[in-house]
Amino acid sequence: MELIFPRKLNQGDVIRVVAPARSRAMVMEHDHTDIIEARFAELGLTLSYGRHVDERDALDSSSIASRIADLHEAFADPSVAAILTVIGGYNCNELLPFLDWELIRANPKILCGYSDITALQNAVLARTGLVTYSGPHWSTFGMRDHFEQTLEWFTEVMFGTAPISLTPAARWNDDLWFLDQDRRDLIPNEGWWPIQPGTAEGRIVGGNLCTLNLLQGTPYMPSLDGAILIVEDDFESHPATFARDLTSLLQLPDAAGIRGLAVGRFQNASNMTRALLEQIIGSQPALTGIPILANIDVGHTYPLATVPIGGHAGLTVADNESLLTFQRH
C-alpha cells in the first residue's frame, strides 16, 4: 500500500484532543491543564477537544461509540490539522472494527500518542497507509520540568521536513511526575546499547510490544516484511514477559523480513538489564544477522522521542557509534 504522509504543522493550526483509550476525566485527577495549554500557545497552536473526552466508565474509558465518534469527527473536520491522544490505556483495539478507513485515508492528518495507541496507529498504517506518530500524549505536555528534549523532538518532527538523527539524551527519568512536580529524579544516561552490529533501512513498524501483538491474526496488523522494528514496553512487562511477547511477534510468517530492531528504554520496575536483554535477543533465530540497538529514548520513560510509524528509517549499529535516523516528510 502506498504511504500517505500528513502535512506538517504550521502556527495557527488547531489540534484536536481525543481519548481513544482512557478518559481525560481520569487524567484530570492531577490537573496540569494550565501547563499544557501554555505549551501549545507558545507553539502557536490551538487545542480543541472531542465531545466525549471526559466520559468515564468503570474501566476509566468510555463507550466504543463515543470514542469512534470523536475520532471520526476529528478526521472529518477540515479545521483540524492534527489529532493528539489524551493518554494510553488498555482498550484501543476495541475500536478497530468500527473505524471508517476510507474517511481516514481521504483526510490524512497527524495522529500522535503512544503506549496503547500503538494498536490504533499500526492499524491505520495497515488499512490506509497513513503515517502516524508515536510520541507524547496531550497529558505528557503537563510535565512542568525536564520536558525540553521531548518537546524539541516533537516540534522537529511535527513542524520540519528534514531527516532526523536521534542521539541519546544526557539524562532521563522514570518518576511519577504528575503526582509531584517538585520532586523529580533524573538518572544519568549510559547511552545506547549496541547489541548486534550492522546497517539496515526500512519502514518503521512498532510501538508498545504487548499492544502490537494484539493485532496478530487480525486485518489490522501491518506487514513486518522490510521493516525496521521499534518496540518498547512498560513496567508491567518483566523480562520473561517481554521475551515471550517478542517471540510471539517473531514467529509471524513475515517476521523473516525484519531488517533491523531497536528497543526502547525499560522502566526501572521491569527489572530488565542489558545482560538479560542480550540473552533474550540471542535466543531468537529470526534476529540473526540484523542490526539491533537498545536503550533508545522510546517508551514509557522520558525524554520521549517522536517517531513516524510507517516512515522510513536508517539503523546503523556499531560499538564506536550507532545511528538511528528517519525521514519526517
Side-chain angles (χ1 to χ4, degrees), residues 59-108:
L59 296 178
D60 291 322
S61 185
S62 63
S63 70
I64 291 173
S66 291
R67 288 177 283 153
I68 287 290
D70 280 359
L71 276 168
H72 283 170
E73 288 170 14
F75 275 104
D77 189 338
S79 71
V80 172
I83 303 167
L84 190 61
T85 57
V86 165
I87 198 169
Y90 297 92
N91 59 353
C92 244
N93 62 330
E94 292 178 341
L95 308 181
L96 305 184
F98 306 100
L99 285 167
D100 185 337
W101 303 111
E102 291 305 319
L103 172 69
I104 294 171
R105 183 184 291 110
N107 297 276

mmCIF file of all heavy atoms in Angstrom, residues 59-108:
data_model
loop_
_atom_site.group_PDB
_atom_site.id
_atom_site.type_symbol
_atom_site.label_atom_id
_atom_site.label_comp_id
_atom_site.label_asym_id
_atom_site.label_seq_id
_atom_site.Cartn_x
_atom_site.Cartn_y
_atom_site.Cartn_z
ATOM 1 N N LEU A 59 -14.056 1.322 33.692
ATOM 2 C CA LEU A 59 -12.700 0.985 33.263
ATOM 3 C C LEU A 59 -11.900 2.236 32.898
ATOM 4 O O LEU A 59 -10.892 2.160 32.202
ATOM 5 C CB LEU A 59 -12.758 0.028 32.069
ATOM 6 C CG LEU A 59 -13.385 -1.336 32.355
ATOM 7 C CD1 LEU A 59 -13.436 -2.179 31.077
ATOM 8 C CD2 LEU A 59 -12.611 -2.081 33.442
ATOM 9 N N ASP A 60 -12.365 3.403 33.362
ATOM 10 C CA ASP A 60 -11.705 4.685 33.121
ATOM 11 C C ASP A 60 -11.641 5.035 31.634
ATOM 12 O O ASP A 60 -10.740 5.751 31.196
ATOM 13 C CB ASP A 60 -10.292 4.718 33.717
ATOM 14 C CG ASP A 60 -10.319 4.730 35.235
ATOM 15 O OD1 ASP A 60 -11.213 5.390 35.795
ATOM 16 O OD2 ASP A 60 -9.471 4.071 35.855
ATOM 17 N N SER A 61 -12.586 4.514 30.864
ATOM 18 C CA SER A 61 -12.650 4.797 29.440
ATOM 19 C C SER A 61 -14.061 5.298 29.129
ATOM 20 O O SER A 61 -14.726 5.889 29.987
ATOM 21 C CB SER A 61 -12.300 3.540 28.649
ATOM 22 O OG SER A 61 -12.241 3.794 27.273
ATOM 23 N N SER A 62 -14.523 5.105 27.895
ATOM 24 C CA SER A 62 -15.890 5.455 27.520
ATOM 25 C C SER A 62 -16.368 4.438 26.496
ATOM 26 O O SER A 62 -15.618 3.535 26.097
ATOM 27 C CB SER A 62 -15.958 6.877 26.969
ATOM 28 O OG SER A 62 -15.193 7.005 25.790
ATOM 29 N N SER A 63 -17.582 4.592 26.035
ATOM 30 C CA SER A 63 -18.148 3.624 25.108
ATOM 31 C C SER A 63 -17.405 3.630 23.781
ATOM 32 O O SER A 63 -16.792 4.626 23.382
ATOM 33 C CB SER A 63 -19.620 3.925 24.861
ATOM 34 O OG SER A 63 -19.774 5.119 24.104
ATOM 35 N N ILE A 64 -17.469 2.515 23.081
ATOM 36 C CA ILE A 64 -16.884 2.438 21.745
ATOM 37 C C ILE A 64 -17.500 3.504 20.848
ATOM 38 O O ILE A 64 -16.788 4.199 20.106
ATOM 39 C CB ILE A 64 -17.094 1.038 21.146
ATOM 40 C CG1 ILE A 64 -16.255 0.011 21.907
ATOM 41 C CG2 ILE A 64 -16.747 1.014 19.655
ATOM 42 C CD1 ILE A 64 -16.515 -1.429 21.512
ATOM 43 N N ALA A 65 -18.811 3.683 20.921
ATOM 44 C CA ALA A 65 -19.490 4.654 20.070
ATOM 45 C C ALA A 65 -18.965 6.064 20.310
ATOM 46 O O ALA A 65 -18.763 6.825 19.357
ATOM 47 C CB ALA A 65 -20.995 4.596 20.316
ATOM 48 N N SER A 66 -18.740 6.431 21.575
ATOM 49 C CA SER A 66 -18.236 7.769 21.888
ATOM 50 C C SER A 66 -16.830 7.973 21.344
ATOM 51 O O SER A 66 -16.510 9.024 20.768
ATOM 52 C CB SER A 66 -18.248 7.987 23.400
ATOM 53 O OG SER A 66 -19.563 8.079 23.894
ATOM 54 N N ARG A 67 -15.994 6.990 21.525
ATOM 55 C CA ARG A 67 -14.608 7.130 21.076
ATOM 56 C C ARG A 67 -14.512 7.144 19.550
ATOM 57 O O ARG A 67 -13.729 7.920 18.970
ATOM 58 C CB ARG A 67 -13.759 5.997 21.669
ATOM 59 C CG ARG A 67 -13.510 6.178 23.173
ATOM 60 C CD ARG A 67 -12.722 5.023 23.771
ATOM 61 N NE ARG A 67 -13.545 3.839 23.989
ATOM 62 C CZ ARG A 67 -13.074 2.598 23.997
ATOM 63 N NH1 ARG A 67 -11.786 2.368 23.723
ATOM 64 N NH2 ARG A 67 -13.878 1.586 24.228
ATOM 65 N N ILE A 68 -15.320 6.328 18.891
ATOM 66 C CA ILE A 68 -15.347 6.329 17.432
ATOM 67 C C ILE A 68 -15.848 7.675 16.922
ATOM 68 O O ILE A 68 -15.293 8.248 15.963
ATOM 69 C CB ILE A 68 -16.232 5.186 16.905
ATOM 70 C CG1 ILE A 68 -15.531 3.836 17.093
ATOM 71 C CG2 ILE A 68 -16.597 5.395 15.437
ATOM 72 C CD1 ILE A 68 -14.331 3.616 16.201
ATOM 73 N N ALA A 69 -16.890 8.198 17.544
ATOM 74 C CA ALA A 69 -17.438 9.482 17.111
ATOM 75 C C ALA A 69 -16.390 10.582 17.173
ATOM 76 O O ALA A 69 -16.248 11.387 16.233
ATOM 77 C CB ALA A 69 -18.646 9.847 17.966
ATOM 78 N N ASP A 70 -15.629 10.626 18.261
ATOM 79 C CA ASP A 70 -14.613 11.678 18.388
ATOM 80 C C ASP A 70 -13.502 11.524 17.358
ATOM 81 O O ASP A 70 -13.009 12.522 16.805
ATOM 82 C CB ASP A 70 -14.026 11.671 19.799
ATOM 83 C CG ASP A 70 -14.921 12.383 20.814
ATOM 84 O OD1 ASP A 70 -15.978 12.900 20.411
ATOM 85 O OD2 ASP A 70 -14.555 12.406 22.008
ATOM 86 N N LEU A 71 -13.094 10.293 17.086
ATOM 87 C CA LEU A 71 -12.061 10.076 16.073
ATOM 88 C C LEU A 71 -12.566 10.451 14.689
ATOM 89 O O LEU A 71 -11.875 11.153 13.920
ATOM 90 C CB LEU A 71 -11.602 8.623 16.091
ATOM 91 C CG LEU A 71 -10.537 8.257 17.120
ATOM 92 C CD1 LEU A 71 -10.399 6.750 17.236
ATOM 93 C CD2 LEU A 71 -9.193 8.890 16.756
ATOM 94 N N HIS A 72 -13.753 10.017 14.330
ATOM 95 C CA HIS A 72 -14.302 10.332 13.014
ATOM 96 C C HIS A 72 -14.507 11.837 12.845
ATOM 97 O O HIS A 72 -14.192 12.401 11.781
ATOM 98 C CB HIS A 72 -15.625 9.598 12.808
ATOM 99 C CG HIS A 72 -15.448 8.143 12.496
ATOM 100 N ND1 HIS A 72 -16.500 7.249 12.478
ATOM 101 C CD2 HIS A 72 -14.345 7.410 12.189
ATOM 102 C CE1 HIS A 72 -16.051 6.044 12.162
ATOM 103 N NE2 HIS A 72 -14.746 6.118 12.000
ATOM 104 N N GLU A 73 -15.000 12.491 13.878
ATOM 105 C CA GLU A 73 -15.196 13.941 13.786
ATOM 106 C C GLU A 73 -13.864 14.664 13.630
ATOM 107 O O GLU A 73 -13.770 15.657 12.891
ATOM 108 C CB GLU A 73 -15.952 14.439 15.015
ATOM 109 C CG GLU A 73 -17.414 14.031 15.019
ATOM 110 C CD GLU A 73 -18.106 14.319 16.341
ATOM 111 O OE1 GLU A 73 -17.540 15.065 17.173
ATOM 112 O OE2 GLU A 73 -19.220 13.794 16.550
ATOM 113 N N ALA A 74 -12.833 14.190 14.300
ATOM 114 C CA ALA A 74 -11.521 14.826 14.197
ATOM 115 C C ALA A 74 -10.943 14.689 12.793
ATOM 116 O O ALA A 74 -10.404 15.650 12.232
ATOM 117 C CB ALA A 74 -10.566 14.220 15.221
ATOM 118 N N PHE A 75 -11.058 13.501 12.213
ATOM 119 C CA PHE A 75 -10.537 13.314 10.856
ATOM 120 C C PHE A 75 -11.375 14.070 9.834
ATOM 121 O O PHE A 75 -10.839 14.598 8.846
ATOM 122 C CB PHE A 75 -10.485 11.823 10.503
ATOM 123 C CG PHE A 75 -9.235 11.132 10.960
ATOM 124 C CD1 PHE A 75 -9.247 10.297 12.073
ATOM 125 C CD2 PHE A 75 -8.031 11.315 10.289
ATOM 126 C CE1 PHE A 75 -8.092 9.656 12.500
ATOM 127 C CE2 PHE A 75 -6.866 10.686 10.711
ATOM 128 C CZ PHE A 75 -6.896 9.860 11.828
ATOM 129 N N ALA A 76 -12.686 14.151 10.041
ATOM 130 C CA ALA A 76 -13.565 14.776 9.048
ATOM 131 C C ALA A 76 -13.539 16.293 9.095
ATOM 132 O O ALA A 76 -13.858 16.948 8.100
ATOM 133 C CB ALA A 76 -14.997 14.280 9.252
ATOM 134 N N ASP A 77 -13.163 16.870 10.230
ATOM 135 C CA ASP A 77 -13.208 18.326 10.401
ATOM 136 C C ASP A 77 -12.047 18.984 9.658
ATOM 137 O O ASP A 77 -10.887 18.796 10.032
ATOM 138 C CB ASP A 77 -13.139 18.657 11.890
ATOM 139 C CG ASP A 77 -13.406 20.128 12.183
ATOM 140 O OD1 ASP A 77 -13.237 20.960 11.261
ATOM 141 O OD2 ASP A 77 -13.768 20.441 13.330
ATOM 142 N N PRO A 78 -12.320 19.780 8.626
ATOM 143 C CA PRO A 78 -11.223 20.390 7.861
ATOM 144 C C PRO A 78 -10.438 21.427 8.646
ATOM 145 O O PRO A 78 -9.322 21.793 8.241
ATOM 146 C CB PRO A 78 -11.944 21.034 6.667
ATOM 147 C CG PRO A 78 -13.352 21.222 7.123
ATOM 148 C CD PRO A 78 -13.648 20.112 8.069
ATOM 149 N N SER A 79 -10.976 21.905 9.752
ATOM 150 C CA SER A 79 -10.257 22.888 10.556
ATOM 151 C C SER A 79 -9.221 22.250 11.469
ATOM 152 O O SER A 79 -8.393 22.947 12.056
ATOM 153 C CB SER A 79 -11.235 23.708 11.403
ATOM 154 O OG SER A 79 -11.786 22.922 12.457
ATOM 155 N N VAL A 80 -9.252 20.920 11.594
ATOM 156 C CA VAL A 80 -8.331 20.202 12.475
ATOM 157 C C VAL A 80 -7.105 19.755 11.682
ATOM 158 O O VAL A 80 -7.236 19.060 10.675
ATOM 159 C CB VAL A 80 -9.026 18.980 13.116
ATOM 160 C CG1 VAL A 80 -8.018 18.116 13.871
ATOM 161 C CG2 VAL A 80 -10.142 19.436 14.048
ATOM 162 N N ALA A 81 -5.914 20.144 12.149
ATOM 163 C CA ALA A 81 -4.669 19.792 11.451
ATOM 164 C C ALA A 81 -4.030 18.524 12.020
ATOM 165 O O ALA A 81 -3.300 17.837 11.309
ATOM 166 C CB ALA A 81 -3.675 20.945 11.535
ATOM 167 N N ALA A 82 -4.271 18.242 13.283
ATOM 168 C CA ALA A 82 -3.630 17.089 13.925
ATOM 169 C C ALA A 82 -4.498 16.589 15.057
ATOM 170 O O ALA A 82 -5.323 17.326 15.615
ATOM 171 C CB ALA A 82 -2.247 17.465 14.449
ATOM 172 N N ILE A 83 -4.294 15.321 15.401
ATOM 173 C CA ILE A 83 -5.067 14.662 16.453
ATOM 174 C C ILE A 83 -4.079 14.166 17.507
ATOM 175 O O ILE A 83 -3.108 13.478 17.184
ATOM 176 C CB ILE A 83 -5.881 13.490 15.881
ATOM 177 C CG1 ILE A 83 -6.799 13.985 14.758
ATOM 178 C CG2 ILE A 83 -6.679 12.802 16.978
ATOM 179 C CD1 ILE A 83 -7.406 12.858 13.937
ATOM 180 N N LEU A 84 -4.342 14.512 18.754
ATOM 181 C CA LEU A 84 -3.463 14.147 19.861
ATOM 182 C C LEU A 84 -4.274 13.375 20.889
ATOM 183 O O LEU A 84 -5.377 13.783 21.258
ATOM 184 C CB LEU A 84 -2.879 15.415 20.487
ATOM 185 C CG LEU A 84 -1.759 15.278 21.515
ATOM 186 C CD1 LEU A 84 -0.535 14.598 20.916
ATOM 187 C CD2 LEU A 84 -1.377 16.659 22.056
ATOM 188 N N THR A 85 -3.743 12.250 21.336
ATOM 189 C CA THR A 85 -4.467 11.425 22.295
ATOM 190 C C THR A 85 -4.228 11.906 23.721
ATOM 191 O O THR A 85 -3.147 12.385 24.061
ATOM 192 C CB THR A 85 -4.044 9.955 22.173
ATOM 193 O OG1 THR A 85 -2.625 9.850 22.352
ATOM 194 C CG2 THR A 85 -4.409 9.412 20.795
ATOM 195 N N VAL A 86 -5.244 11.754 24.569
ATOM 196 C CA VAL A 86 -5.159 12.191 25.960
ATOM 197 C C VAL A 86 -4.093 11.410 26.707
ATOM 198 O O VAL A 86 -3.212 11.973 27.368
ATOM 199 C CB VAL A 86 -6.527 12.031 26.653
ATOM 200 C CG1 VAL A 86 -6.369 12.137 28.175
ATOM 201 C CG2 VAL A 86 -7.497 13.079 26.157
ATOM 202 N N ILE A 87 -4.168 10.084 26.618
ATOM 203 C CA ILE A 87 -3.278 9.182 27.345
ATOM 204 C C ILE A 87 -3.502 7.786 26.772
ATOM 205 O O ILE A 87 -4.378 7.594 25.925
ATOM 206 C CB ILE A 87 -3.579 9.225 28.868
ATOM 207 C CG1 ILE A 87 -2.415 8.648 29.687
ATOM 208 C CG2 ILE A 87 -4.912 8.581 29.205
ATOM 209 C CD1 ILE A 87 -2.530 8.902 31.189
ATOM 210 N N GLY A 88 -2.714 6.829 27.219
ATOM 211 C CA GLY A 88 -2.889 5.460 26.768
ATOM 212 C C GLY A 88 -3.910 4.721 27.607
ATOM 213 O O GLY A 88 -4.837 5.313 28.153
ATOM 214 N N GLY A 89 -3.753 3.414 27.717
ATOM 215 C CA GLY A 89 -4.717 2.605 28.449
ATOM 216 C C GLY A 89 -4.630 1.150 28.049
ATOM 217 O O GLY A 89 -3.526 0.606 27.925
ATOM 218 N N TYR A 90 -5.786 0.543 27.773
ATOM 219 C CA TYR A 90 -5.809 -0.896 27.526
ATOM 220 C C TYR A 90 -6.747 -1.332 26.403
ATOM 221 O O TYR A 90 -6.759 -2.514 26.060
ATOM 222 C CB TYR A 90 -6.233 -1.640 28.807
ATOM 223 C CG TYR A 90 -5.273 -1.462 29.954
ATOM 224 C CD1 TYR A 90 -5.453 -0.437 30.872
ATOM 225 C CD2 TYR A 90 -4.170 -2.304 30.104
ATOM 226 C CE1 TYR A 90 -4.568 -0.262 31.933
ATOM 227 C CE2 TYR A 90 -3.281 -2.139 31.153
ATOM 228 C CZ TYR A 90 -3.479 -1.116 32.067
ATOM 229 O OH TYR A 90 -2.595 -0.948 33.107
ATOM 230 N N ASN A 91 -7.547 -0.434 25.840
ATOM 231 C CA ASN A 91 -8.663 -0.909 25.026
ATOM 232 C C ASN A 91 -8.814 -0.242 23.665
ATOM 233 O O ASN A 91 -9.872 -0.287 23.066
ATOM 234 C CB ASN A 91 -9.977 -0.745 25.809
ATOM 235 C CG ASN A 91 -10.235 0.706 26.209
ATOM 236 O OD1 ASN A 91 -9.396 1.572 26.033
ATOM 237 N ND2 ASN A 91 -11.414 0.959 26.757
ATOM 238 N N CYS A 92 -7.749 0.355 23.148
ATOM 239 C CA CYS A 92 -7.824 0.968 21.820
ATOM 240 C C CYS A 92 -8.255 -0.029 20.746
ATOM 241 O O CYS A 92 -8.929 0.345 19.782
ATOM 242 C CB CYS A 92 -6.448 1.526 21.440
ATOM 243 S SG CYS A 92 -6.418 3.287 21.248
ATOM 244 N N ASN A 93 -7.841 -1.264 20.905
ATOM 245 C CA ASN A 93 -8.150 -2.247 19.853
ATOM 246 C C ASN A 93 -9.647 -2.522 19.719
ATOM 247 O O ASN A 93 -10.091 -3.048 18.706
ATOM 248 C CB ASN A 93 -7.375 -3.545 20.082
ATOM 249 C CG ASN A 93 -7.724 -4.237 21.392
ATOM 250 O OD1 ASN A 93 -8.088 -3.591 22.373
ATOM 251 N ND2 ASN A 93 -7.589 -5.544 21.421
ATOM 252 N N GLU A 94 -10.444 -2.159 20.712
ATOM 253 C CA GLU A 94 -11.896 -2.300 20.601
ATOM 254 C C GLU A 94 -12.466 -1.501 19.431
ATOM 255 O O GLU A 94 -13.519 -1.849 18.882
ATOM 256 C CB GLU A 94 -12.585 -1.817 21.883
ATOM 257 C CG GLU A 94 -12.347 -2.666 23.107
ATOM 258 C CD GLU A 94 -13.032 -2.092 24.335
ATOM 259 O OE1 GLU A 94 -13.385 -0.894 24.331
ATOM 260 O OE2 GLU A 94 -13.195 -2.843 25.318
ATOM 261 N N LEU A 95 -11.783 -0.436 19.058
ATOM 262 C CA LEU A 95 -12.324 0.499 18.067
ATOM 263 C C LEU A 95 -12.132 0.029 16.636
ATOM 264 O O LEU A 95 -12.846 0.488 15.729
ATOM 265 C CB LEU A 95 -11.647 1.862 18.233
ATOM 266 C CG LEU A 95 -11.638 2.481 19.632
ATOM 267 C CD1 LEU A 95 -10.953 3.842 19.600
ATOM 268 C CD2 LEU A 95 -13.057 2.607 20.188
ATOM 269 N N LEU A 96 -11.196 -0.865 16.406
ATOM 270 C CA LEU A 96 -10.725 -1.125 15.048
ATOM 271 C C LEU A 96 -11.808 -1.617 14.089
ATOM 272 O O LEU A 96 -11.840 -1.177 12.930
ATOM 273 C CB LEU A 96 -9.531 -2.083 15.091
ATOM 274 C CG LEU A 96 -8.363 -1.626 15.982
ATOM 275 C CD1 LEU A 96 -7.206 -2.599 15.883
ATOM 276 C CD2 LEU A 96 -7.917 -0.201 15.647
ATOM 277 N N PRO A 97 -12.714 -2.501 14.482
ATOM 278 C CA PRO A 97 -13.728 -2.951 13.519
ATOM 279 C C PRO A 97 -14.726 -1.861 13.117
ATOM 280 O O PRO A 97 -15.468 -2.035 12.149
ATOM 281 C CB PRO A 97 -14.452 -4.076 14.275
ATOM 282 C CG PRO A 97 -13.519 -4.486 15.358
ATOM 283 C CD PRO A 97 -12.796 -3.244 15.749
ATOM 284 N N PHE A 98 -14.755 -0.745 13.850
ATOM 285 C CA PHE A 98 -15.784 0.267 13.641
ATOM 286 C C PHE A 98 -15.260 1.542 12.979
ATOM 287 O O PHE A 98 -16.020 2.472 12.725
ATOM 288 C CB PHE A 98 -16.432 0.620 14.988
ATOM 289 C CG PHE A 98 -16.944 -0.582 15.720
ATOM 290 C CD1 PHE A 98 -16.209 -1.150 16.751
ATOM 291 C CD2 PHE A 98 -18.142 -1.180 15.359
ATOM 292 C CE1 PHE A 98 -16.670 -2.274 17.430
ATOM 293 C CE2 PHE A 98 -18.608 -2.307 16.015
ATOM 294 C CZ PHE A 98 -17.871 -2.858 17.052
ATOM 295 N N LEU A 99 -13.971 1.590 12.702
ATOM 296 C CA LEU A 99 -13.385 2.789 12.101
ATOM 297 C C LEU A 99 -13.689 2.858 10.606
ATOM 298 O O LEU A 99 -13.690 1.842 9.907
ATOM 299 C CB LEU A 99 -11.872 2.821 12.337
ATOM 300 C CG LEU A 99 -11.460 3.201 13.767
ATOM 301 C CD1 LEU A 99 -9.993 2.901 13.995
ATOM 302 C CD2 LEU A 99 -11.741 4.680 14.036
ATOM 303 N N ASP A 100 -13.906 4.061 10.126
ATOM 304 C CA ASP A 100 -14.149 4.319 8.708
ATOM 305 C C ASP A 100 -12.794 4.575 8.048
ATOM 306 O O ASP A 100 -12.285 5.694 8.059
ATOM 307 C CB ASP A 100 -15.077 5.520 8.553
ATOM 308 C CG ASP A 100 -15.487 5.775 7.110
ATOM 309 O OD1 ASP A 100 -14.755 5.345 6.194
ATOM 310 O OD2 ASP A 100 -16.524 6.434 6.900
ATOM 311 N N TRP A 101 -12.222 3.524 7.491
ATOM 312 C CA TRP A 101 -10.869 3.640 6.933
ATOM 313 C C TRP A 101 -10.828 4.559 5.728
ATOM 314 O O TRP A 101 -9.828 5.254 5.505
ATOM 315 C CB TRP A 101 -10.334 2.249 6.587
ATOM 316 C CG TRP A 101 -10.333 1.321 7.757
ATOM 317 C CD1 TRP A 101 -11.122 0.227 7.941
ATOM 318 C CD2 TRP A 101 -9.522 1.417 8.941
ATOM 319 N NE1 TRP A 101 -10.855 -0.368 9.154
ATOM 320 C CE2 TRP A 101 -9.879 0.339 9.782
ATOM 321 C CE3 TRP A 101 -8.527 2.300 9.356
ATOM 322 C CZ2 TRP A 101 -9.275 0.129 11.023
ATOM 323 C CZ3 TRP A 101 -7.924 2.096 10.583
ATOM 324 C CH2 TRP A 101 -8.296 1.020 11.404
ATOM 325 N N GLU A 102 -11.881 4.586 4.948
ATOM 326 C CA GLU A 102 -11.912 5.477 3.789
ATOM 327 C C GLU A 102 -11.945 6.938 4.226
ATOM 328 O O GLU A 102 -11.329 7.800 3.598
ATOM 329 C CB GLU A 102 -13.119 5.155 2.898
ATOM 330 C CG GLU A 102 -13.010 3.820 2.194
ATOM 331 C CD GLU A 102 -11.731 3.695 1.372
ATOM 332 O OE1 GLU A 102 -11.356 4.684 0.703
ATOM 333 O OE2 GLU A 102 -11.102 2.622 1.410
ATOM 334 N N LEU A 103 -12.660 7.228 5.300
ATOM 335 C CA LEU A 103 -12.673 8.583 5.848
ATOM 336 C C LEU A 103 -11.272 9.000 6.278
ATOM 337 O O LEU A 103 -10.823 10.121 5.989
ATOM 338 C CB LEU A 103 -13.627 8.647 7.041
ATOM 339 C CG LEU A 103 -13.607 9.952 7.852
ATOM 340 C CD1 LEU A 103 -14.199 11.102 7.051
ATOM 341 C CD2 LEU A 103 -14.361 9.770 9.173
ATOM 342 N N ILE A 104 -10.572 8.106 6.955
ATOM 343 C CA ILE A 104 -9.221 8.415 7.424
ATOM 344 C C ILE A 104 -8.276 8.593 6.242
ATOM 345 O O ILE A 104 -7.482 9.548 6.203
ATOM 346 C CB ILE A 104 -8.724 7.298 8.368
ATOM 347 C CG1 ILE A 104 -9.576 7.288 9.646
ATOM 348 C CG2 ILE A 104 -7.241 7.480 8.695
ATOM 349 C CD1 ILE A 104 -9.329 6.096 10.544
ATOM 350 N N ARG A 105 -8.362 7.708 5.257
ATOM 351 C CA ARG A 105 -7.487 7.808 4.089
ATOM 352 C C ARG A 105 -7.744 9.102 3.309
ATOM 353 O O ARG A 105 -6.814 9.728 2.800
ATOM 354 C CB ARG A 105 -7.693 6.605 3.176
ATOM 355 C CG ARG A 105 -6.749 6.593 1.962
ATOM 356 C CD ARG A 105 -7.027 5.447 1.018
ATOM 357 N NE ARG A 105 -6.671 4.152 1.599
ATOM 358 C CZ ARG A 105 -7.539 3.236 1.972
ATOM 359 N NH1 ARG A 105 -8.850 3.451 1.823
ATOM 360 N NH2 ARG A 105 -7.134 2.092 2.475
ATOM 361 N N ALA A 106 -8.981 9.509 3.240
ATOM 362 C CA ALA A 106 -9.340 10.703 2.467
ATOM 363 C C ALA A 106 -9.027 12.000 3.203
ATOM 364 O O ALA A 106 -9.026 13.080 2.584
ATOM 365 C CB ALA A 106 -10.819 10.663 2.111
ATOM 366 N N ASN A 107 -8.764 11.906 4.509
ATOM 367 C CA ASN A 107 -8.498 13.109 5.307
ATOM 368 C C ASN A 107 -7.234 12.902 6.142
ATOM 369 O O ASN A 107 -7.290 12.920 7.376
ATOM 370 C CB ASN A 107 -9.687 13.418 6.216
ATOM 371 C CG ASN A 107 -10.944 13.724 5.446
ATOM 372 O OD1 ASN A 107 -11.160 14.857 5.013
ATOM 373 N ND2 ASN A 107 -11.776 12.711 5.245
ATOM 374 N N PRO A 108 -6.099 12.702 5.494
ATOM 375 C CA PRO A 108 -4.880 12.382 6.249
ATOM 376 C C PRO A 108 -4.434 13.545 7.113
ATOM 377 O O PRO A 108 -4.351 14.684 6.652
ATOM 378 C CB PRO A 108 -3.865 12.081 5.139
ATOM 379 C CG PRO A 108 -4.358 12.837 3.950
ATOM 380 C CD PRO A 108 -5.846 12.798 4.034
#
